[in-house]
Protein backbone atom coordinates (compact mmCIF):
# COMPACT_ATOMS: atom_id res chain seq x y z
CA UNK A 1 0.00 0.00 0.00
CA UNK A 2 1.38 3.38 -0.97
CA UNK A 3 1.70 6.08 1.67
CA UNK A 4 3.22 9.54 1.37
CA UNK A 5 5.08 11.56 4.01
CA UNK A 6 6.47 15.07 4.41
CA UNK A 7 7.91 15.03 7.93
CA UNK A 8 11.42 15.61 6.55
CA UNK A 9 10.35 19.17 5.65
CA UNK A 10 10.77 20.78 9.02
CA UNK A 11 8.24 23.22 10.38
CA UNK A 12 10.18 25.00 13.13
CA UNK A 13 8.03 25.68 16.18
CA UNK A 14 8.90 27.74 19.26
CA UNK A 15 9.57 25.94 22.57
CA UNK A 16 6.38 24.92 24.34
CA UNK A 17 4.19 24.99 21.21
CA UNK A 18 1.26 22.64 21.78
CA UNK A 19 1.19 21.05 18.32
CA UNK A 20 2.78 17.55 18.48
CA UNK A 21 4.86 17.79 15.31
CA UNK A 22 6.97 14.77 16.30
CA UNK A 23 4.05 12.39 15.77
CA UNK A 24 4.57 12.34 12.00
CA UNK A 25 8.12 11.05 12.13
CA UNK A 26 7.23 8.63 14.92
CA UNK A 27 4.46 7.22 12.73
CA UNK A 28 6.80 6.81 9.77
CA UNK A 29 9.36 5.04 11.94
CA UNK A 30 6.73 2.65 13.30
CA UNK A 31 5.45 1.85 9.80
CA UNK A 32 8.96 1.22 8.50
CA UNK A 33 9.73 -1.15 11.37
CA UNK A 34 6.41 -2.95 11.77
CA UNK A 35 4.50 -2.78 8.47
CA UNK A 36 6.99 -3.15 5.60
CA UNK A 37 4.18 -3.70 3.08
CA UNK A 38 3.41 0.02 3.45
CA UNK A 39 5.46 1.54 0.62
CA UNK A 40 6.60 4.92 1.90
CA UNK A 41 7.42 7.73 -0.50
CA UNK A 42 8.18 11.42 -0.09
CA UNK A 43 5.16 13.56 -0.89
CA UNK A 44 5.28 15.87 -3.91
CA UNK A 45 4.52 19.54 -3.41
CA UNK A 46 1.10 20.72 -4.58
CA UNK A 47 1.54 23.33 -7.32
CA UNK A 48 0.03 26.81 -7.40
CA UNK A 49 -2.41 25.59 -10.05
CA UNK A 50 -3.52 22.61 -7.98
CA UNK A 51 -4.01 24.73 -4.86
CA UNK A 52 -5.93 27.32 -6.90
CA UNK A 53 -8.61 24.73 -7.65
CA UNK A 54 -9.71 25.42 -4.06
CA UNK A 55 -7.84 28.41 -2.62
CA UNK A 56 -7.87 31.96 -3.92
CA UNK A 57 -4.52 32.80 -5.57
CA UNK A 58 -3.87 35.77 -3.28
CA UNK A 59 -4.03 33.48 -0.24
CA UNK A 60 -1.70 30.90 -1.82
CA UNK A 61 0.76 33.67 -2.69
CA UNK A 62 0.65 35.16 0.81
CA UNK A 63 1.35 31.78 2.40
CA UNK A 64 4.20 31.15 -0.03
CA UNK A 65 5.90 34.50 0.65
CA UNK A 66 5.03 35.04 4.30
CA UNK A 67 2.85 38.09 3.73
CA UNK A 68 -0.30 37.03 5.55
CA UNK A 69 -1.56 39.65 8.01
CA UNK A 70 -0.46 38.81 11.59
CA UNK A 71 -4.02 38.00 12.67
CA UNK A 72 -4.43 35.53 9.79
CA UNK A 73 -1.12 33.88 10.66
CA UNK A 74 -2.17 33.57 14.30
CA UNK A 75 -5.45 31.96 13.25
CA UNK A 76 -3.46 29.22 11.52
CA UNK A 77 -1.55 28.65 14.74
CA UNK A 78 1.94 28.28 13.26
CA UNK A 79 4.55 31.00 12.82
CA UNK A 80 5.45 31.58 9.17
CA UNK A 81 8.67 30.17 7.79
CA UNK A 82 9.73 28.79 4.41
CA UNK A 83 9.46 25.35 6.01
CA UNK A 84 5.86 25.99 7.03
CA UNK A 85 4.90 26.98 3.49
CA UNK A 86 6.71 24.05 1.90
CA UNK A 87 5.32 21.54 4.36
CA UNK A 88 1.77 22.79 3.76
CA UNK A 89 2.23 22.21 0.02
CA UNK A 90 3.65 18.75 0.66
CA UNK A 91 0.81 17.81 2.98
CA UNK A 92 -1.70 18.68 0.27
CA UNK A 93 0.46 16.96 -2.34
CA UNK A 94 0.54 13.79 -0.26
CA UNK A 95 -3.24 13.47 -0.34
CA UNK A 96 -3.25 14.18 -4.08
CA UNK A 97 -0.62 11.45 -4.62
CA UNK A 98 -2.51 9.00 -2.39
CA UNK A 99 -5.74 9.65 -4.26
CA UNK A 100 -4.05 9.08 -7.62
CA UNK A 101 -2.56 5.83 -6.31
CA UNK A 102 -5.96 4.65 -5.09
CA UNK A 103 -7.84 5.62 -8.26
CA UNK A 104 -5.17 4.93 -10.85
CA UNK A 105 -4.11 6.97 -13.84
CA UNK A 106 -3.80 6.43 -17.61
CA UNK A 107 -1.73 3.30 -18.09
CA UNK A 108 -1.67 2.45 -14.38
CA UNK A 109 -4.34 0.56 -12.48
CA UNK A 110 -5.55 1.94 -9.20
CA UNK A 111 -4.74 0.08 -6.00
CA UNK A 112 -8.02 0.90 -4.27
CA UNK A 113 -6.38 2.25 -1.10
CA UNK A 114 -3.54 4.66 -0.35
CA UNK A 115 -2.61 7.08 2.41
CA UNK A 116 -1.12 10.35 3.61
CA UNK A 117 0.84 10.14 6.88
CA UNK A 118 -0.30 13.69 7.68
CA UNK A 119 -3.08 15.78 6.09
CA UNK A 120 -6.67 16.10 7.17
CA UNK A 121 -6.33 19.90 7.24
CA UNK A 122 -10.06 20.48 7.25
CA UNK A 123 -10.15 23.88 9.00
CA UNK A 124 -8.63 25.64 5.97
CA UNK A 125 -11.12 27.72 3.95
CA UNK A 126 -10.73 28.93 0.39
CA UNK A 127 -9.32 32.25 1.57
CA UNK A 128 -7.78 31.53 4.98
CA UNK A 129 -6.32 28.90 7.26
CA UNK A 130 -7.10 28.04 10.84
CA UNK A 131 -6.64 25.48 13.59
CA UNK A 132 -3.19 24.29 12.41
CA UNK A 133 -4.50 23.95 8.84
CA UNK A 134 -2.99 25.93 5.95
CA UNK A 135 -4.28 24.34 2.72
CA UNK A 136 -7.26 21.99 2.64
CA UNK A 137 -5.71 18.78 1.32
CA UNK A 138 -8.95 16.81 0.96
CA UNK A 139 -10.61 19.63 -0.97
CA UNK A 140 -7.61 20.04 -3.28
CA UNK A 141 -7.48 16.29 -3.95
CA UNK A 142 -11.22 16.12 -4.60
CA UNK A 143 -11.17 19.01 -7.07
CA UNK A 144 -8.06 17.74 -8.87
CA UNK A 145 -9.41 14.20 -9.21
CA UNK A 146 -12.65 15.61 -10.59
CA UNK A 147 -10.69 17.63 -13.16
CA UNK A 148 -8.53 14.65 -14.17
CA UNK A 149 -11.56 12.36 -14.34
CA UNK A 150 -13.37 14.77 -16.66
CA UNK A 151 -10.35 14.87 -18.98
CA UNK A 152 -10.44 11.08 -19.19
CA UNK A 153 -14.23 10.93 -19.58
CA UNK A 154 -14.86 13.85 -21.90
CA UNK A 155 -18.36 12.74 -22.76
CA UNK A 156 -19.48 12.20 -19.17
CA UNK A 157 -22.58 14.16 -18.25
CA UNK A 158 -21.74 14.38 -14.56
CA UNK A 159 -18.48 14.95 -12.66
CA UNK A 160 -16.78 12.43 -10.43
CA UNK A 161 -18.70 12.31 -7.16
CA UNK A 162 -16.59 12.42 -4.01
CA UNK A 163 -17.56 11.59 -0.42
CA UNK A 164 -15.44 13.12 2.35
CA UNK A 165 -15.87 11.11 5.55
CA UNK A 166 -14.41 13.28 8.29
CA UNK A 167 -13.94 11.44 11.60
CA UNK A 168 -11.61 13.92 13.22
CA UNK A 169 -13.09 14.96 16.56
CA UNK A 170 -13.37 18.59 15.34
CA UNK A 171 -15.87 19.59 12.70
CA UNK A 172 -14.52 20.07 9.18
CA UNK A 173 -15.71 23.65 8.90
CA UNK A 174 -13.38 24.66 6.08
CA UNK A 175 -14.33 21.63 3.99
CA UNK A 176 -18.03 22.24 4.57
CA UNK A 177 -17.66 25.86 3.49
CA UNK A 178 -15.70 25.03 0.34
CA UNK A 179 -18.27 22.50 -0.88
CA UNK A 180 -21.42 24.30 0.23
CA UNK A 181 -24.11 23.95 -2.47
CA UNK A 182 -21.91 21.56 -4.49
CA UNK A 183 -23.87 18.38 -5.15
CA UNK A 184 -20.80 16.58 -6.58
CA UNK A 185 -19.11 16.38 -3.15
CA UNK A 186 -20.77 14.99 -0.02
CA UNK A 187 -19.30 16.17 3.28
CA UNK A 188 -19.92 13.98 6.33
CA UNK A 189 -18.55 15.00 9.74
CA UNK A 190 -18.81 13.20 13.10
CA UNK A 191 -17.47 15.51 15.78
CA UNK A 192 -17.73 16.76 19.34
CA UNK A 193 -20.71 19.06 19.65
CA UNK A 194 -19.03 21.38 22.15
CA UNK A 195 -15.54 21.21 20.68
CA UNK A 196 -13.64 23.50 18.28
CA UNK A 197 -14.70 25.16 16.02
CA UNK A 198 -17.32 26.79 18.16
CA UNK A 199 -19.04 28.36 15.13
CA UNK A 200 -19.57 25.43 12.80
CA UNK A 201 -20.42 25.36 9.10
CA UNK A 202 -23.15 23.15 7.67
CA UNK A 203 -21.85 19.91 6.16
CA UNK A 204 -24.12 17.75 4.03
CA UNK A 205 -24.39 15.55 7.11
CA UNK A 206 -23.25 16.64 10.57
CA UNK A 207 -23.38 14.31 13.56
CA UNK A 208 -22.84 16.15 16.85
CA UNK A 209 -21.55 13.96 19.67
CA UNK A 210 -21.70 14.75 23.40
CA UNK A 211 -18.62 15.01 25.61
CA UNK A 212 -17.61 11.60 26.94
CA UNK A 213 -19.16 9.68 24.02
CA UNK A 214 -17.76 6.13 24.15
CA UNK A 215 -17.31 3.25 21.75
CA UNK A 216 -20.84 1.88 21.53
CA UNK A 217 -22.61 5.21 21.02
CA UNK A 218 -19.97 6.42 18.56
CA UNK A 219 -20.09 3.28 16.43
CA UNK A 220 -23.88 3.36 16.35
CA UNK A 221 -23.81 6.99 15.22
CA UNK A 222 -21.24 6.16 12.54
CA UNK A 223 -23.29 3.24 11.26
CA UNK A 224 -26.37 5.44 10.96
CA UNK A 225 -24.34 8.16 9.22
CA UNK A 226 -22.92 5.73 6.65
CA UNK A 227 -26.43 4.39 6.00
CA UNK A 228 -27.61 7.97 5.43
CA UNK A 229 -24.67 8.64 3.10
CA UNK A 230 -25.58 5.49 1.18
CA UNK A 231 -29.19 6.65 0.78
CA UNK A 232 -28.31 10.13 -0.40
CA UNK A 233 -25.14 9.82 -2.46
CA UNK A 234 -23.25 7.44 -4.74
CA UNK A 235 -19.54 8.36 -4.74
CA UNK A 236 -16.81 7.27 -7.10
CA UNK A 237 -14.12 8.23 -4.58
CA UNK A 238 -13.92 8.38 -0.78
CA UNK A 239 -11.56 10.63 1.17
CA UNK A 240 -11.35 9.51 4.81
CA UNK A 241 -10.00 11.68 7.65
CA UNK A 242 -9.01 9.09 10.26
CA UNK A 243 -8.40 11.43 13.19
CA UNK A 244 -6.80 9.93 16.30
CA UNK A 245 -8.30 12.63 18.51
CA UNK A 246 -11.57 10.87 19.47
CA UNK A 247 -9.27 8.68 21.62
CA UNK A 248 -10.00 8.77 25.36
CA UNK A 249 -6.46 9.95 26.14
CA UNK A 250 -6.48 12.94 23.77
CA UNK A 251 -5.87 16.40 25.26
CA UNK A 252 -8.25 18.15 22.88
CA UNK A 253 -10.77 15.45 22.02
CA UNK A 254 -13.27 15.27 24.92
CA UNK A 255 -14.63 11.94 23.62
CA UNK A 256 -13.86 8.55 25.14
CA UNK A 257 -13.09 6.04 22.41
CA UNK A 258 -10.73 3.17 23.18
CA UNK A 259 -8.09 1.66 20.90
CA UNK A 260 -10.59 -1.09 20.05
CA UNK A 261 -13.35 1.43 19.37
CA UNK A 262 -11.19 3.42 16.97
CA UNK A 263 -10.08 0.27 15.19
CA UNK A 264 -13.74 -0.71 14.77
CA UNK A 265 -14.44 2.78 13.44
CA UNK A 266 -11.75 2.40 10.80
CA UNK A 267 -12.98 -1.05 9.86
CA UNK A 268 -16.51 0.33 9.36
CA UNK A 269 -15.28 2.94 6.90
CA UNK A 270 -12.86 0.73 4.97
CA UNK A 271 -15.48 -2.00 4.73
CA UNK A 272 -18.18 0.44 3.59
CA UNK A 273 -15.97 1.55 0.69
CA UNK A 274 -14.76 -1.99 -0.12
CA UNK A 275 -18.27 -3.43 -0.28
CA UNK A 276 -19.07 -0.83 -2.93
CA UNK A 277 -15.64 -1.08 -4.61
CA UNK A 278 -15.04 2.65 -4.16
CA UNK A 279 -11.35 3.72 -4.15
CA UNK A 280 -10.38 5.37 -0.87
CA UNK A 281 -7.51 7.63 0.20
CA UNK A 282 -7.05 8.41 3.87
CA UNK A 283 -5.17 10.94 5.97
CA UNK A 284 -4.35 11.03 9.67
CA UNK A 285 -5.89 14.40 10.66
CA UNK A 286 -5.79 15.32 14.37
CA UNK A 287 -4.22 13.62 17.36
CA UNK A 288 -3.06 15.38 20.52
CA UNK A 289 -2.59 12.61 23.05
CA UNK A 290 -1.36 13.31 26.56
CA UNK A 291 1.01 10.49 25.65
CA UNK A 292 2.14 10.99 22.06
CA UNK A 293 2.93 7.29 21.72
CA UNK A 294 -0.76 6.53 22.21
CA UNK A 295 -1.69 8.88 19.38
CA UNK A 296 0.81 7.12 17.14
CA UNK A 297 -0.55 3.72 18.22
CA UNK A 298 -4.04 4.74 17.11
CA UNK A 299 -2.59 5.69 13.74
CA UNK A 300 -0.57 2.48 13.37
CA UNK A 301 -3.75 0.54 14.11
CA UNK A 302 -5.47 2.42 11.27
CA UNK A 303 -2.72 1.30 8.90
CA UNK A 304 -3.02 -2.32 10.04
CA UNK A 305 -6.73 -2.32 9.19
CA UNK A 306 -6.11 -0.48 5.91
CA UNK A 307 -3.57 -3.11 4.84
CA UNK A 308 -6.17 -5.84 5.27
CA UNK A 309 -8.43 -4.04 2.81
CA UNK A 310 -5.60 -3.10 0.46
CA UNK A 311 -4.85 -6.83 0.15
CA UNK A 312 -8.46 -7.42 -0.85
CA UNK A 313 -8.07 -4.87 -3.61
CA UNK A 314 -4.70 -6.35 -4.64
CA UNK A 315 -4.77 -10.12 -4.03
Amino acid sequence: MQAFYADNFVLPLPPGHRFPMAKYRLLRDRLMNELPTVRLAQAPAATDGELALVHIPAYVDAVSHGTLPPAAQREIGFPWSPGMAERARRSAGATVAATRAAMGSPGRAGEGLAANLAGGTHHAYADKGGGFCVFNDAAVAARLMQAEWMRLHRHARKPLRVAIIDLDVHQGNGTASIFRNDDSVFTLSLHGQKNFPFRKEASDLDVDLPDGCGDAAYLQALEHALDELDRRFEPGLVLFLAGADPYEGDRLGRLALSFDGLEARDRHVFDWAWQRRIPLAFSMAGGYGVNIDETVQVQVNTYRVALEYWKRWNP
Side-chain angles (χ1 to χ4, degrees):
M1 184 177 72
Q2 294 190 62
F4 299 87
Y5 65 88
D7 59 84
N8 53 324
F9 292 90
V10 177
L11 194 169
L13 295 177
H17 195 284
R18 65 177 180 162
F19 189 83
M21 193 62 64
K23 67 181 179 179
Y24 300 116
R25 184 54 189 264
L26 291 171
L27 174 59
R28 179 154 66 104
D29 288 345
R30 289 281 305 274
L31 295 178
M32 289 174 63
N33 292 328
E34 299 173 32
L35 298 175
T37 43
V38 176
R39 291 172 288 149
L40 295 164
Q42 181 174 287
T47 66
D48 285 355
E50 290 168 346
L51 295 173
L53 292 171
V54 168
H55 298 286
I56 64 171
Y59 174 65
V60 175
D61 184 76
V63 170
S64 300
H65 297 98
T67 57
L68 283 174
Q73 194 69 52
R74 285 194 299 272
E75 188 171 356
I76 290 173
F78 296 138
W80 186 87
S81 67
M84 187 220 81
E86 183 65 16
R87 200 169 188 287
R89 286 180 180 271
R90 300 273 175 173
S91 186
T95 296
V96 168
T99 308
R100 283 187 176 131
M103 290 195 68
S105 55
R108 185 170 183 175
E111 296 187 19
L113 264 174
N116 176 359
L117 271 67
T121 46
H122 58 169
H123 299 312
Y125 284 67
D127 60 345
K128 67 177 184 175
F132 306 134
C133 301
V134 183
F135 300 127
N136 194 310
D137 62 300
V140 172
R143 282 283 183 251
L144 186 57
M145 291 307 103
Q146 288 181 324
E148 293 183 354
W149 190 88
M150 288 300 291
R151 284 198 293 269
L152 289 172
H153 303 84
R154 295 180 183 276
H155 301 295
R157 295 183 178 181
K158 295 182 179 180
L160 174 72
R161 290 159 67 84
V162 182
I164 299 177
I165 300 175
D166 188 341
L167 302 188
D168 187 288
V169 80
H170 305 106
Q171 198 232 16
N173 55 334
T175 310
S177 172
I178 288 165
F179 294 115
R180 183 186 295 120
N181 302 321
D182 184 338
D183 61 7
S184 72
V185 179
F186 191 99
T187 54
L188 162 60
S189 179
L190 266 71
H191 51 261
Q193 181 179 21
K194 297 180 180 179
N195 212 324
F196 179 89
F198 303 109
R199 293 184 62 184
K200 295 175 173 60
E201 303 284 351
S203 307
D204 290 298
L205 179 58
D206 284 304
V207 180
D208 298 323
L209 301 170
D211 287 0
C213 179
D215 293 348
Y218 186 99
L219 293 171
Q220 184 179 44
L222 174 59
E223 186 173 349
H224 289 163
L226 292 175
D227 287 345
E228 181 71 10
L229 169 58
D230 205 28
R231 283 192 293 270
R232 293 171 53 186
F233 196 74
E234 186 175 350
L237 169 67
V238 169
L239 298 174
F240 171 32
L241 279 64
D245 43 11
Y247 175 61
E248 59 192 346
D250 196 89
R251 289 183 291 114
L252 305 181
R254 300 171 64 166
L255 300 188
L257 272 69
S258 66
F259 286 133
D260 288 345
L262 284 162
E263 183 174 331
R265 173 203 71 173
D266 297 337
R267 196 172 296 278
H268 269 61
V269 176
F270 289 127
D271 197 66
W272 188 90
W274 162 251
Q275 292 295 335
R276 293 156 182 78
R277 300 301 190 273
I278 306 169
L280 181 151
F282 66 99
S283 59
M284 304 322 298
Y288 313 92
V290 174
N291 182 340
I292 194 172
D293 291 332
E294 292 183 342
T295 293
V296 175
Q297 186 62 56
V298 171
Q299 296 173 330
V300 171
N301 293 345
T302 298
Y303 276 84
R304 291 188 193 279
V305 175
L307 276 170
E308 293 180 29
Y309 285 89
W310 178 84
K311 289 173 182 176
R312 296 185 187 187
W313 278 95
N314 302 276

